[in-house]
Amino acid sequence: MNQLPVEYLFFVGAIGLVGIGVAGMLLCRNLFRVLLALVIAEAGANLLLVLTGYRWDAVAPIVLPGMPAGTTMVDPVPQALVLTAIVIGVGIQAFAVAVLIKIQHGYGSLDRRSLAAMLDRDMNELAGVGPGRSPEAPAGKR
């Protein structure tokens, strides 16, 4: 029986994390859980980026004195991209948590459906329109 290389397992895990995150964003009704799913998807994408630049027979991209010429090194560009993505991701997550706290205080809920209904009601009130009516008359004689 042939055994799969270990690196395939890492790729499957990274793609699995992205899939779990996307499924969580689509299926969860609570906005905080949607944010957590986004964090999981981001971790999977970062892992996938690091894996694309990794070489299993290479060393870290640091030139040391006495290192033999022609030593294969890991590609440092994906590592730098992931490091930047992590920093940006943490900033976005902090901002999203602050917005979620503001929404929770303002509306008392983080449920998508109830928030959509409350936001529709508030926008209709601000526009001076009754619920379920358009500010303009419909086209034609209906």
Side-chain angles (χ1 to χ4, degrees), residues 15-126:
I15 293 170
L17 282 174
V18 171
I20 289 169
V22 169
M25 285 187 285
L26 294 175
L27 299 175
C28 289
R29 288 176 55 180
N30 189 306
L31 291 180
F32 186 72
R33 289 183 181 172
V34 171
L35 179 63
L36 291 178
L38 179 66
V39 171
I40 291 171
E42 180 187 354
N46 288 340
L47 180 59
L48 201 57
L49 272 174
V50 167
L51 287 172
T52 58
Y54 189 74
R55 297 174 79 182
W56 301 98
D57 58 343
V59 297
I62 301 169
V63 178
L64 299 173
M67 181 179 280
T71 304
T72 57
M73 295 185 182
V74 177
D75 188 11
V77 174
Q79 294 176 9
L81 287 173
V82 167
L83 198 60
T84 305
I86 289 171
V87 171
I88 292 170
V90 168
I92 297 283
Q93 292 162 22
F95 177 70
V97 168
V99 168
L100 289 178
I101 290 171
K102 190 76 171 167
I103 290 172
Q104 175 68 33
H105 285 298
Y107 289 99
S109 174
L110 289 178
D111 184 62
R112 272 197 227 181
R113 291 182 184 152
S114 63
L115 280 173
M118 287 186 258
L119 287 172
D120 281 343
R121 184 194 68 220
D122 289 349
M123 284 191 287
N124 286 337
E125 285 177 12
L126 287 173

